[in-house]
Amino acid sequence: MHLTGDARSVQQRHYVPNPDARALSTNNSRTNAEIFPNIDSSIFSKYIAGIEETLDNRNYSLVLAVCHGDPEQEFLAARQLLGMAAEAFIFSGAAHLDELTETLTLRQVPYVFTSIWDAESPTPTIGYVNFEIAANIGAISRRERAPPAGNHPRSFG
């Protein structure tokens, strides 16, 4: 590959573009943020890896923060990340301060709540419906315990 003098100089100096300068000139930081209540469970590592891979494939970066289940701390972390020009947010669960959603809405920053499904929510949610899962598990369990129909040694028919 033939490099021009400028490109060769950039390569030799191991230049890395300044993300702050790029954000100022393009009005785009290409950074998404996720604020977790905790990262104690190993399931979070797979979850984070999946999100990071998806964002990386689209040339976005992921910044993580942990709020220890404290909505006030979550709001403060979100404000700090907004100051770092985060363009979108992912939050876990349904319990968040009104100030959080108001701030993001006012700034027109997209956000989503995960680990919860609420079809009626004005905020996008990604999750599951626990009572439906429990009902399905119960139905499967009952079917597995039920004796087969017809002549069975314990049948009285």
Side-chain angles (χ1 to χ4, degrees):
M1 176 168 78
H2 176 70
L3 297 175
T4 65
D6 289 339
R8 194 173 22 256
S9 177
V10 164
Q11 187 179 41
Q12 289 171 347
R13 292 190 175 115
H14 304 287
Y15 172 77
V16 176
N18 182 311
D20 295 330
R22 182 177 49 215
L24 281 173
S25 66
T26 64
N27 203 21
N28 186 340
S29 71
R30 306 205 59 82
T31 301
N32 288 345
E34 177 147 13
I35 302 177
F36 283 97
N38 66 65
I39 52 173
D40 298 338
S41 173
S42 63
I43 195 168
F44 285 124
S45 63
K46 292 177 184 174
Y47 176 78
I48 292 166
I51 290 173
E52 190 168 38
E53 180 181 349
T54 300
L55 290 173
D56 186 54
N57 289 337
R58 291 165 175 79
N59 295 317
Y60 278 86
S61 297
L62 177 65
V63 177
L64 301 175
V66 178
C67 68
H68 308 285
D70 181 349
E72 290 282 341
Q73 195 171 358
E74 179 185 60
F75 178 60
L76 293 174
R79 287 184 49 154
Q80 287 179 323
L81 291 164
L82 282 169
M84 297 167 58
E87 295 180 14
F89 283 82
I90 303 170
F91 299 99
S92 184
H96 309 281
L97 295 180
D98 289 340
E99 291 89 348
L100 174 68
T101 55
E102 290 167 4
T103 298
L104 295 171
T105 301
L106 181 67
R107 291 176 170 238
Q108 297 180 343
V109 175
Y111 60 97
V112 63
F113 297 150
T114 65
S115 302
I116 180 171
W117 171 249
D118 182 354
E120 303 298 317
S121 174
T123 300
T125 58
I126 301 173
Y128 38 83
V129 181
N130 285 333
F131 65 86
E132 286 182 13
I133 293 171
N136 288 335
I137 291 170
I140 291 167
S141 177
R142 285 189 297 277
R143 280 195 303 263
E144 289 175 357
R145 288 191 310 238
N151 265 341
H152 189 272
R154 291 187 179 172
S155 266
F156 297 106

